[in-house]
């Protein structure tokens, strides 16, 4: 029979994933909260490495890569868009550099 503690331990990755998603799509300062939660999940992986931690490790790695790849909003209160004309004019992306080098 499962205890409430077992269910809570199994639900930790899901809870942290939802909180990180909310933090990444919030204000710029909430990105620090997202990275803090990812750090706590990584510590959870290290503490439980002999039981559930090895199965949670891919979740922590994927959350870290999602936090790294999610663009930060540059205006207060507005979410970032994947393609921002102002940002692309200041620093062209890899695709625009590659497309400009065509013969």
């Amino acid at each position: 029979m499962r205890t409430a503690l077992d269910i809570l331990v199994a639900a930790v990755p899901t809870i942290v994933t939802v909180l990180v998603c909310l933090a990444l799509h919030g204000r710029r300062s909430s990105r620090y909260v997202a990275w803090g939660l990812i750090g706590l999940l990584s510590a959870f992986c290290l503490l439980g490495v002999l039981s559930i931690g090895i199965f949670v490790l891919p979740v922590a790695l994927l959350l870290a890569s999602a936090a790294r790849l999610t663009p930060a909003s540059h205006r207060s209160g507005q979410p970032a868009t994947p393609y921002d004309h102002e940002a692309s004019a200041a620093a062209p992306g890899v695709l625009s550099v590659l497309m400009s080098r065509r013969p």
Side-chain angles (χ1 to χ4, degrees):
M1 181 170 14
R2 299 280 178 195
T3 64
L5 183 61
D6 292 338
I7 294 171
L8 181 67
V9 168
V12 166
T14 305
I15 293 168
V16 170
T17 301
V18 169
L19 291 175
V20 167
C21 179
L22 292 174
L24 286 177
H25 294 291
R27 296 184 184 270
R28 181 178 287 205
S29 61
S30 63
R31 293 179 65 80
Y32 297 116
V33 173
W35 280 107
L37 289 169
I38 293 169
L40 287 175
L41 186 62
S42 300
F44 176 77
C45 292
L46 288 176
L47 291 175
V49 73
L50 294 177
S51 60
I52 194 173
I54 195 72
F55 300 108
V56 178
L57 184 62
V59 175
L61 293 175
L62 288 172
L63 281 176
S65 65
R68 175 72 176 102
L69 294 174
T70 301
S73 64
H74 54 66
R75 294 183 200 102
S76 178
Q78 292 183 353
T81 57
Y83 182 75
D84 190 358
H85 296 288
E86 295 171 8
S88 65
V94 174
L95 186 58
S96 63
V97 171
L98 291 175
M99 295 299 284
S100 66
R101 294 185 181 182
R102 284 176 141 185

